[in-house]
Amino acid sequence: MTQMKIRNLDDLRKLRESSRDLSSARSGGETMIIVGMGTCGIAAGARDVLSEVMAELARRNIDNVAVQTTGCIGMCQDEPLLDVIRGGQRVTYGRVKPEDVPTIIAEHVVNGRVVEKLAIGRAD
């Protein structure tokens, strides 16, 4: 996804449609990745993180992982946020950079090992 400057309502609609296309392309599976796409997340670089998630899953031919987006959850200071839900456990990664995504997918999504240096929260 390329970065676009939102200048009017039509730009915002186009962005919404392109985000839907990205997230709806990945549904189903036992593992889910959720990227915070509130205005705080977008301002912090969540679009690039979401694009890298989709690209990394495609590079690895992983098609059984659902990818969703969500709005602000009140942890704006830690954006971009990325959650991985795997095996009933939810781990939240904070201040995620696009270059962190391949590590999160390789370690956590594929091998089930939490990337401790980026994890900021867990829920079982």
Side-chain angles (χ1 to χ4, degrees):
M1 177 185 296
T2 59
Q3 293 241 339
M4 66 181 275
K5 190 168 190 169
I6 299 170
R7 295 189 173 101
N8 54 45
L9 188 56
D10 285 338
D11 288 347
L12 186 59
R13 287 184 180 127
K14 288 176 188 171
L15 177 61
R16 180 180 67 185
E17 290 306 314
S18 67
S19 295
R20 277 189 189 154
D21 290 345
L22 281 174
S23 62
S24 66
R26 293 285 183 176
S27 59
E30 294 180 13
T31 301
M32 180 181 300
I33 297 173
I34 304 170
V35 179
M37 294 291 285
T39 53
C40 51
I42 291 171
R47 275 190 260 170
D48 292 337
V49 170
L50 177 60
S51 294
E52 185 59 25
V53 167
M54 300 303 285
E56 184 65 15
L57 291 172
R59 280 192 290 270
R60 292 175 167 270
N61 294 317
I62 298 172
D63 58 3
N64 62 346
V65 173
V67 178
Q68 294 185 354
T69 61
T70 188
C72 179
I73 61 168
M75 297 173 59
C76 307
Q77 71 279 4
D78 291 321
E79 295 282 358
L81 294 167
L82 183 152
D83 285 6
V84 174
I85 303 173
R86 185 178 191 273
Q89 181 186 49
R90 183 176 189 150
V91 175
T92 300
Y93 294 101
R95 299 182 186 204
V96 176
K97 299 178 185 92
E99 57 266 27
D100 297 326
V101 170
T103 301
I104 292 170
I105 290 177
E107 292 297 316
H108 193 164
V109 173
V110 173
N111 294 316
R113 295 187 296 253
V114 175
V115 182
E116 298 293 343
K117 69 179 183 178
L118 297 172
I120 62 169
R122 296 172 197 238
D124 294 322

